[in-house]
Coordinates of all heavy atoms in Angstrom, one line a residue:
M1 N 22.5 -16.1 1.2 CA 22.2 -14.7 0.8 C 22.2 -13.8 2.0 O 21.8 -14.2 3.2 CB 20.9 -14.6 0.1 CG 21.0 -14.8 -1.3 SD 19.5 -14.4 -2.2 CE 18.6 -16.0 -2.3
A2 N 22.7 -12.6 1.9 CA 22.7 -11.6 2.9 C 21.3 -11.1 3.3 O 20.5 -11.2 2.4 CB 23.6 -10.5 2.7
K3 N 21.1 -10.7 4.5 CA 19.8 -10.3 4.9 C 19.1 -9.2 4.1 O 17.9 -9.2 3.9 CB 19.8 -9.9 6.4 CG 18.6 -9.4 7.1 CD 18.8 -9.0 8.4 CE 17.5 -8.4 9.0 NZ 17.7 -8.0 10.4
N4 N 20.0 -8.2 3.6 CA 19.4 -7.1 2.9 C 20.0 -7.0 1.5 O 20.0 -5.9 0.9 CB 19.7 -5.8 3.7 CG 18.8 -5.7 4.9 OD1 17.6 -6.0 4.8 ND2 19.3 -5.2 6.0
D5 N 20.4 -8.2 0.9 CA 20.8 -8.0 -0.5 C 19.5 -7.9 -1.3 O 18.4 -8.2 -0.9 CB 21.7 -9.2 -0.9 CG 21.0 -10.6 -0.9 OD1 19.8 -10.6 -0.8 OD2 21.7 -11.6 -1.0
P6 N 19.6 -7.4 -2.5 CA 18.4 -7.2 -3.3 C 17.5 -8.5 -3.5 O 16.3 -8.3 -3.4 CB 19.0 -6.8 -4.8 CG 20.3 -6.1 -4.4 CD 20.8 -7.0 -3.2
E7 N 18.1 -9.6 -3.7 CA 17.4 -10.8 -3.9 C 16.6 -11.1 -2.6 O 15.3 -11.5 -2.8 CB 18.3 -12.0 -4.3 CG 18.9 -11.8 -5.6 CD 20.1 -10.9 -5.7 OE1 20.6 -10.5 -4.7 OE2 20.5 -10.6 -6.9
T8 N 17.2 -11.0 -1.4 CA 16.4 -11.3 -0.3 C 15.3 -10.2 0.1 O 14.2 -10.5 0.5 CB 17.4 -11.3 0.9 OG1 18.4 -12.3 0.7 CG2 16.7 -11.6 2.3
L9 N 15.7 -8.9 -0.3 CA 14.6 -7.9 -0.2 C 13.4 -8.2 -1.0 O 12.3 -8.0 -0.6 CB 15.2 -6.6 -0.5 CG 16.3 -6.0 0.5 CD1 16.9 -4.8 -0.1 CD2 15.6 -5.8 1.9
L10 N 13.6 -8.7 -2.2 CA 12.4 -9.0 -3.1 C 11.8 -10.2 -2.6 O 10.6 -10.3 -2.6 CB 12.9 -9.2 -4.6 CG 11.8 -9.6 -5.5 CD1 10.7 -8.6 -5.5 CD2 12.3 -9.9 -6.9
E11 N 12.5 -11.2 -2.0 CA 11.8 -12.3 -1.5 C 11.0 -12.0 -0.3 O 9.8 -12.6 -0.1 CB 12.9 -13.4 -1.1 CG 12.4 -14.7 -0.5 CD 11.7 -15.5 -1.5 OE1 12.0 -15.4 -2.7 OE2 10.9 -16.4 -1.2
R12 N 11.5 -11.1 0.5 CA 10.6 -10.7 1.7 C 9.4 -10.0 1.3 O 8.3 -10.2 1.9 CB 11.5 -9.7 2.6 CG 12.5 -10.5 3.4 CD 13.5 -9.7 4.2 NE 12.9 -8.4 4.7 CZ 13.8 -7.3 5.1 NH1 14.9 -7.4 5.0 NH2 13.2 -6.3 5.5
Y13 N 9.4 -9.2 0.2 CA 8.3 -8.5 -0.4 C 7.4 -9.6 -0.9 O 6.1 -9.6 -0.7 CB 8.6 -7.5 -1.4 CG 7.3 -7.0 -2.0 CD1 6.5 -6.1 -1.4 CD2 7.1 -7.4 -3.4 CE1 5.3 -5.7 -2.0 CE2 5.9 -6.9 -4.0 CZ 5.0 -6.1 -3.3 OH 3.9 -5.6 -3.9
A14 N 7.9 -10.4 -1.7 CA 7.0 -11.5 -2.4 C 6.4 -12.4 -1.5 O 5.2 -12.8 -1.7 CB 7.9 -12.2 -3.5
T15 N 7.1 -12.9 -0.5 CA 6.5 -13.9 0.4 C 5.7 -13.3 1.6 O 4.7 -13.9 2.1 CB 7.5 -14.9 0.9 OG1 8.6 -14.1 1.6 CG2 8.1 -15.6 -0.2
D16 N 6.2 -12.2 2.1 CA 5.6 -11.6 3.3 C 4.8 -10.3 3.2 O 4.3 -9.8 4.1 CB 6.7 -11.5 4.5 CG 7.5 -12.7 4.7 OD1 6.9 -13.8 4.7 OD2 8.7 -12.5 5.1
G17 N 4.9 -9.9 1.9 CA 4.3 -8.5 1.7 C 5.0 -7.3 2.5 O 4.4 -6.3 2.7
D18 N 6.3 -7.6 2.7 CA 7.1 -6.6 3.4 C 7.4 -5.3 2.5 O 8.4 -5.4 1.8 CB 8.4 -7.2 3.9 CG 9.2 -6.3 4.8 OD1 9.0 -5.1 4.8 OD2 10.1 -6.9 5.4
V19 N 6.6 -4.3 2.7 CA 6.7 -3.1 1.9 C 8.0 -2.3 2.3 O 8.5 -1.6 1.4 CB 5.5 -2.2 1.9 CG1 4.3 -2.8 1.2 CG2 5.1 -1.8 3.3
G20 N 8.4 -2.5 3.4 CA 9.7 -1.8 3.9 C 10.9 -2.4 3.1 O 11.7 -1.7 2.7
A21 N 10.8 -3.7 2.9 CA 11.9 -4.4 2.0 C 11.8 -3.9 0.6 O 12.8 -3.6 0.0 CB 11.7 -5.9 2.1
L22 N 10.6 -3.7 0.1 CA 10.5 -3.2 -1.3 C 11.0 -1.8 -1.3 O 11.6 -1.4 -2.3 CB 9.0 -3.3 -1.6 CG 8.7 -2.7 -3.1 CD1 9.3 -3.7 -4.2 CD2 7.2 -2.7 -3.3
A23 N 10.7 -0.9 -0.3 CA 11.2 0.4 -0.3 C 12.7 0.5 -0.3 O 13.4 1.2 -1.0 CB 10.6 1.2 0.9
L24 N 13.3 -0.4 0.6 CA 14.7 -0.5 0.6 C 15.4 -0.9 -0.7 O 16.3 -0.4 -1.2 CB 15.2 -1.4 1.8 CG 16.7 -1.5 2.1 CD1 17.3 -0.1 2.4 CD2 16.8 -2.3 3.3
L25 N 14.7 -1.9 -1.3 CA 15.1 -2.3 -2.7 C 15.1 -1.2 -3.6 O 16.1 -1.0 -4.4 CB 14.2 -3.5 -3.1 CG 14.5 -4.1 -4.5 CD1 15.9 -4.8 -4.5 CD2 13.4 -5.1 -4.8
F26 N 14.0 -0.4 -3.7 CA 14.0 0.7 -4.6 C 15.1 1.7 -4.3 O 15.8 2.2 -5.2 CB 12.6 1.3 -4.5 CG 12.4 2.5 -5.4 CD1 12.1 2.3 -6.7 CD2 12.7 3.8 -4.9 CE1 11.9 3.4 -7.5 CE2 12.5 4.8 -5.8 CZ 12.1 4.7 -7.1
D27 N 15.2 2.1 -3.0 CA 16.2 3.1 -2.6 C 17.6 2.6 -3.1 O 18.5 3.4 -3.4 CB 16.2 3.2 -1.2 CG 15.0 4.1 -0.7 OD1 14.3 4.7 -1.5 OD2 14.7 4.1 0.5
R28 N 17.9 1.3 -3.0 CA 19.3 0.7 -3.3 C 19.5 0.7 -4.9 O 20.5 1.0 -5.3 CB 19.4 -0.6 -2.8 CG 19.6 -0.6 -1.4 CD 20.3 -1.8 -1.0 NE 20.5 -1.8 0.5 CZ 20.8 -2.8 1.2 NH1 20.8 -4.0 0.7 NH2 21.0 -2.7 2.6
L29 N 18.4 0.4 -5.6 CA 18.7 0.0 -7.0 C 18.2 1.1 -8.0 O 18.7 1.2 -9.1 CB 18.0 -1.3 -7.4 CG 18.5 -2.5 -6.7 CD1 17.8 -3.8 -7.3 CD2 20.0 -2.7 -7.0
A30 N 17.3 2.0 -7.6 CA 16.6 3.0 -8.4 C 17.8 3.9 -8.9 O 17.7 4.3 -10.1 CB 15.6 3.7 -7.8
P31 N 18.7 4.5 -8.2 CA 19.7 5.3 -8.7 C 20.5 4.8 -9.8 O 20.7 5.4 -10.9 CB 20.6 5.7 -7.5 CG 19.7 5.4 -6.2 CD 18.9 4.2 -6.7
D32 N 21.0 3.5 -9.7 CA 21.7 2.9 -10.8 C 20.9 2.7 -12.0 O 21.3 2.9 -13.2 CB 22.3 1.6 -10.4 CG 23.5 1.7 -9.4 OD1 24.0 2.8 -9.3 OD2 23.8 0.7 -8.7
L33 N 19.6 2.2 -11.8 CA 18.8 2.0 -12.9 C 18.4 3.3 -13.6 O 18.3 3.3 -14.9 CB 17.5 1.2 -12.5 CG 17.7 -0.2 -11.9 CD1 16.4 -0.7 -11.4 CD2 18.2 -1.1 -13.0
T34 N 18.2 4.3 -12.9 CA 18.0 5.6 -13.5 C 19.1 6.2 -14.2 O 18.8 6.7 -15.4 CB 17.5 6.7 -12.4 OG1 16.4 6.1 -11.6 CG2 17.1 8.0 -13.0
R35 N 20.3 6.1 -13.8 CA 21.5 6.4 -14.6 C 21.6 5.8 -15.8 O 21.7 6.3 -16.9 CB 22.7 6.2 -13.7 CG 23.1 7.4 -12.8 CD 24.4 7.4 -12.2 NE 24.6 6.1 -11.3 CZ 24.3 6.1 -10.1 NH1 23.6 7.2 -9.5 NH2 24.4 5.0 -9.3
L36 N 21.4 4.4 -15.8 CA 21.4 3.6 -17.0 C 20.3 4.0 -18.0 O 20.6 4.2 -19.1 CB 21.3 2.0 -16.6 CG 21.3 1.2 -17.9 CD1 22.6 1.4 -18.7 CD2 21.2 -0.2 -17.4
A37 N 19.2 4.2 -17.5 CA 18.0 4.5 -18.4 C 18.2 5.9 -19.0 O 17.9 6.1 -20.1 CB 16.7 4.5 -17.6
T38 N 18.8 6.8 -18.2 CA 19.1 8.1 -18.7 C 20.0 8.0 -19.9 O 19.9 8.7 -20.9 CB 19.6 9.1 -17.7 OG1 18.6 9.2 -16.6 CG2 19.9 10.5 -18.1
Q39 N 21.1 7.3 -19.7 CA 22.1 7.0 -20.7 C 21.5 6.4 -22.0 O 21.8 6.8 -23.1 CB 23.3 6.2 -20.3 CG 24.1 6.8 -19.3 CD 25.1 5.9 -18.7 OE1 25.1 4.7 -18.9 NE2 26.1 6.4 -17.9
L40 N 20.5 5.6 -21.8 CA 19.9 4.9 -22.9 C 18.9 5.7 -23.7 O 18.8 5.7 -25.0 CB 19.2 3.6 -22.5 CG 20.1 2.5 -22.0 CD1 19.3 1.3 -21.4 CD2 20.9 2.0 -23.1
V41 N 18.1 6.4 -23.0 CA 17.0 7.3 -23.7 C 17.4 8.8 -23.8 O 16.7 9.5 -24.4 CB 15.6 7.1 -22.9 CG1 15.3 5.6 -23.0 CG2 15.6 7.7 -21.5
G42 N 18.3 9.2 -23.0 CA 18.8 10.6 -23.1 C 17.9 11.6 -22.5 O 18.0 12.8 -22.9
D43 N 17.0 11.2 -21.7 CA 16.0 12.1 -21.1 C 15.7 11.7 -19.5 O 15.3 10.7 -19.4 CB 14.6 12.1 -21.9 CG 13.6 13.0 -21.3 OD1 13.2 12.7 -20.1 OD2 13.3 13.9 -22.0
A44 N 16.1 12.5 -18.7 CA 16.1 12.2 -17.2 C 14.6 11.9 -16.7 O 14.4 11.0 -16.1 CB 16.7 13.3 -16.4
H45 N 13.7 12.7 -17.3 CA 12.3 12.5 -16.9 C 11.7 11.1 -17.4 O 11.1 10.4 -16.7 CB 11.4 13.6 -17.3 CG 11.7 15.0 -16.6 ND1 11.6 15.1 -15.3 CD2 12.3 16.1 -17.2 CE1 12.0 16.3 -15.0 NE2 12.4 17.0 -16.1
L46 N 12.1 10.9 -18.6 CA 11.7 9.6 -19.3 C 12.3 8.4 -18.5 O 11.7 7.4 -18.3 CB 11.9 9.5 -20.7 CG 11.6 8.3 -21.5 CD1 10.0 7.9 -21.3 CD2 12.0 8.4 -22.9
A47 N 13.6 8.6 -18.2 CA 14.3 7.5 -17.4 C 13.6 7.2 -16.1 O 13.5 6.1 -15.6 CB 15.7 8.0 -17.2
E48 N 13.2 8.3 -15.4 CA 12.5 8.1 -14.1 C 11.1 7.3 -14.3 O 10.8 6.4 -13.5 CB 12.3 9.5 -13.4 CG 13.5 10.1 -12.9 CD 13.3 11.5 -12.4 OE1 12.1 12.0 -12.3 OE2 14.2 12.1 -12.0
D49 N 10.5 7.6 -15.4 CA 9.2 7.0 -15.7 C 9.5 5.4 -16.0 O 8.8 4.6 -15.5 CB 8.6 7.6 -16.9 CG 7.9 8.8 -16.6 OD1 7.8 9.3 -15.5 OD2 7.6 9.6 -17.7
I50 N 10.6 5.2 -16.7 CA 10.9 3.9 -16.9 C 11.3 3.1 -15.7 O 10.8 1.9 -15.5 CB 12.2 3.8 -18.0 CG1 11.7 4.2 -19.4 CG2 12.8 2.4 -18.0 CD1 12.9 4.5 -20.3
V51 N 12.0 3.6 -14.8 CA 12.3 3.0 -13.6 C 11.1 2.7 -12.7 O 10.9 1.7 -12.1 CB 13.4 3.8 -12.7 CG1 13.6 3.2 -11.4 CG2 14.7 3.8 -13.5
Q52 N 10.2 3.7 -12.6 CA 8.9 3.5 -11.9 C 8.1 2.4 -12.6 O 7.5 1.6 -11.8 CB 8.1 4.9 -12.0 CG 8.6 5.9 -11.1 CD 7.9 7.2 -11.2 OE1 6.9 7.3 -11.9 NE2 8.4 8.2 -10.5
E53 N 8.0 2.3 -13.9 CA 7.4 1.2 -14.6 C 8.0 -0.2 -14.2 O 7.3 -1.2 -14.0 CB 7.3 1.4 -16.0 CG 6.3 2.4 -16.4 CD 4.9 2.1 -16.3 OE1 4.5 0.9 -16.4 OE2 4.1 3.0 -16.0
T54 N 9.4 -0.1 -14.1 CA 10.0 -1.4 -13.8 C 9.7 -1.8 -12.4 O 9.4 -3.0 -12.2 CB 11.6 -1.0 -13.8 OG1 11.9 -0.7 -15.2 CG2 12.4 -2.3 -13.4
F55 N 9.7 -0.9 -11.4 CA 9.2 -1.3 -10.1 C 7.8 -1.6 -9.9 O 7.4 -2.5 -9.1 CB 9.8 -0.2 -9.1 CG 11.2 -0.5 -8.7 CD1 12.2 0.1 -9.4 CD2 11.5 -1.4 -7.6 CE1 13.5 -0.2 -9.0 CE2 12.8 -1.6 -7.2 CZ 13.8 -1.1 -8.0
L56 N 7.0 -1.0 -10.8 CA 5.5 -1.4 -10.7 C 5.3 -2.8 -11.2 O 4.6 -3.6 -10.6 CB 4.8 -0.4 -11.7 CG 3.2 -0.6 -11.8 CD1 2.7 -0.5 -10.4 CD2 2.6 0.3 -12.7
T57 N 6.2 -3.3 -12.1 CA 6.2 -4.6 -12.5 C 6.6 -5.5 -11.4 O 6.0 -6.6 -11.1 CB 7.1 -4.9 -13.7 OG1 6.7 -4.0 -14.9 CG2 7.2 -6.3 -14.2
V58 N 7.6 -5.2 -10.6 CA 8.0 -6.0 -9.4 C 6.9 -6.0 -8.4 O 6.7 -7.1 -7.8 CB 9.3 -5.3 -8.8 CG1 9.6 -5.9 -7.5 CG2 10.4 -5.3 -9.8
V59 N 6.2 -4.9 -8.2 CA 5.1 -4.8 -7.3 C 3.9 -5.8 -7.7 O 3.4 -6.5 -6.9 CB 4.6 -3.4 -7.1 CG1 3.2 -3.3 -6.3 CG2 5.6 -2.6 -6.3
E60 N 3.6 -5.8 -9.0 CA 2.5 -6.5 -9.4 C 2.8 -8.0 -9.7 O 1.9 -8.8 -9.5 CB 2.0 -5.9 -10.8 CG 1.3 -4.5 -10.5 CD 0.8 -3.8 -11.8 OE1 1.2 -4.3 -12.9 OE2 0.1 -2.9 -11.6
W61 N 4.0 -8.4 -10.1 CA 4.4 -9.7 -10.5 C 5.8 -10.1 -9.9 O 6.7 -10.5 -10.7 CB 4.4 -9.8 -11.9 CG 3.1 -9.7 -12.6 CD1 2.0 -10.5 -12.4 CD2 2.7 -8.6 -13.4 NE1 0.9 -9.9 -13.2 CE2 1.3 -8.7 -13.8 CE3 3.3 -7.5 -13.8 CZ2 0.6 -7.8 -14.6 CZ3 2.7 -6.5 -14.7 CH2 1.4 -6.8 -15.0
P62 N 5.9 -10.0 -8.6 CA 7.2 -10.4 -8.1 C 7.6 -11.8 -8.4 O 8.8 -12.2 -8.5 CB 7.1 -10.2 -6.5 CG 5.6 -10.3 -6.2 CD 4.9 -9.8 -7.5
E63 N 6.6 -12.7 -8.6 CA 6.9 -14.1 -8.9 C 7.4 -14.3 -10.3 O 8.0 -15.3 -10.6 CB 5.5 -14.9 -8.7 CG 4.5 -14.7 -9.8 CD 3.7 -13.4 -9.5 OE1 3.8 -12.7 -8.5 OE2 2.8 -13.1 -10.3
A64 N 7.4 -13.3 -11.1 CA 8.0 -13.4 -12.4 C 9.6 -13.4 -12.4 O 10.2 -14.0 -13.3 CB 7.5 -12.2 -13.3
Y65 N 10.2 -13.0 -11.3 CA 11.6 -13.0 -11.2 C 12.1 -14.4 -11.0 O 11.6 -15.2 -10.0 CB 12.0 -12.1 -10.0 CG 13.4 -12.3 -9.5 CD1 14.5 -12.1 -10.4 CD2 13.7 -12.7 -8.3 CE1 15.8 -12.3 -10.0 CE2 15.0 -12.9 -7.9 CZ 16.1 -12.7 -8.7 OH 17.3 -12.9 -8.3
D66 N 13.1 -14.8 -11.6 CA 13.7 -16.1 -11.6 C 14.8 -16.1 -10.5 O 15.8 -15.5 -10.6 CB 14.4 -16.6 -12.9 CG 15.2 -17.9 -12.8 OD1 15.1 -18.6 -11.7 OD2 15.7 -18.3 -13.8
R67 N 14.5 -16.6 -9.3 CA 15.3 -16.5 -8.1 C 16.7 -17.2 -8.2 O 17.5 -17.0 -7.3 CB 14.6 -16.9 -6.9 CG 13.5 -16.0 -6.5 CD 12.5 -16.5 -5.5 NE 11.5 -15.5 -5.1 CZ 10.5 -15.0 -5.8 NH1 10.5 -15.4 -7.0 NH2 9.7 -14.2 -5.3
S68 N 16.9 -17.9 -9.3 CA 18.2 -18.5 -9.5 C 19.2 -17.6 -10.0 O 20.4 -18.0 -10.2 CB 18.1 -19.8 -10.3 OG 17.7 -19.5 -11.6
R69 N 18.8 -16.4 -10.5 CA 19.6 -15.4 -11.2 C 19.7 -14.1 -10.4 O 18.8 -13.9 -9.5 CB 19.1 -15.1 -12.5 CG 18.9 -16.4 -13.4 CD 18.3 -16.1 -14.7 NE 18.3 -17.2 -15.5 CZ 19.1 -17.3 -16.7 NH1 19.7 -16.3 -17.1 NH2 19.0 -18.3 -17.4
P70 N 20.7 -13.3 -10.6 CA 20.8 -12.1 -9.9 C 19.6 -11.2 -10.3 O 19.1 -11.2 -11.4 CB 22.2 -11.5 -10.4 CG 22.9 -12.7 -10.9 CD 21.9 -13.7 -11.4
L71 N 19.2 -10.3 -9.3 CA 18.0 -9.5 -9.6 C 18.3 -8.3 -10.5 O 17.5 -8.0 -11.3 CB 17.5 -9.0 -8.1 CG 16.3 -8.1 -8.3 CD1 15.1 -8.7 -8.9 CD2 16.0 -7.5 -6.8
K72 N 19.4 -7.7 -10.3 CA 19.7 -6.4 -11.0 C 19.6 -6.6 -12.5 O 19.0 -5.8 -13.2 CB 20.9 -5.7 -10.6 CG 21.2 -4.3 -11.0 CD 22.4 -3.7 -10.4 CE 22.6 -2.2 -10.8 NZ 23.8 -1.7 -10.1
P73 N 20.3 -7.5 -13.1 CA 20.1 -7.8 -14.5 C 18.7 -8.0 -14.9 O 18.3 -7.6 -16.1 CB 21.1 -9.0 -14.8 CG 22.1 -9.0 -13.6 CD 21.2 -8.5 -12.5
W74 N 18.0 -8.7 -14.1 CA 16.5 -9.0 -14.5 C 15.8 -7.6 -14.6 O 15.0 -7.3 -15.5 CB 15.9 -9.9 -13.5 CG 14.4 -10.1 -13.8 CD1 13.9 -10.9 -14.8 CD2 13.3 -9.7 -13.0 NE1 12.5 -10.9 -14.7 CE2 12.2 -10.1 -13.6 CE3 13.1 -8.8 -11.9 CZ2 10.9 -9.9 -13.1 CZ3 12.0 -8.5 -11.5 CH2 10.8 -9.1 -12.0
L75 N 16.1 -6.7 -13.6 CA 15.4 -5.4 -13.6 C 15.8 -4.6 -14.9 O 15.0 -3.8 -15.5 CB 15.7 -4.6 -12.4 CG 15.1 -5.2 -11.1 CD1 15.7 -4.5 -9.9 CD2 13.6 -5.2 -11.2
I76 N 17.1 -4.7 -15.3 CA 17.6 -4.0 -16.4 C 16.9 -4.5 -17.7 O 16.5 -3.8 -18.4 CB 19.1 -4.1 -16.4 CG1 19.8 -3.3 -15.3 CG2 19.7 -3.5 -17.8 CD1 21.3 -3.5 -15.2

């Protein structure tokens, strides 16, 4: 895995508590997730709330992610 791919960033947060890696992960994936959520729910503000809740789950339970699979589909 590349040093700054999403899976590695989450691993750095989960194992080392690297909040910078978590911030970078959010910066990279939140725009795509927000666009998708907006398309699904039809409301930009609600979509932003959904993405925030998604990342809150990552913050609280990073171990729930199955590291044998790509991260982005898990977040979706």
Side-chain angles (χ1 to χ4, degrees):
M1 279 192 258
K3 180 180 174 183
N4 286 322
D5 66 12
E7 292 78 13
T8 301
L9 291 171
L10 179 56
E11 182 71 23
R12 286 175 32 203
Y13 171 71
T15 60
D16 302 330
D18 184 345
V19 293
L22 181 64
L24 186 54
L25 179 65
F26 181 85
D27 289 346
R28 286 202 179 159
L29 297 182
D32 287 344
L33 295 175
T34 302
R35 274 191 295 280
L36 176 60
T38 301
Q39 290 174 351
L40 292 173
V41 300
D43 181 293
H45 296 297
L46 180 56
E48 289 174 3
D49 290 345
I50 291 167
V51 172
Q52 288 176 5
E53 287 291 327
T54 299
F55 274 91
L56 183 58
T57 300
V58 171
V59 167
E60 293 177 344
W61 298 289
E63 67 279 355
Y65 165 61
D66 178 358
R67 286 163 176 73
S68 68
R69 298 174 178 249
L71 177 60
K72 192 171 179 182
W74 179 71
L75 293 171
I76 292 170

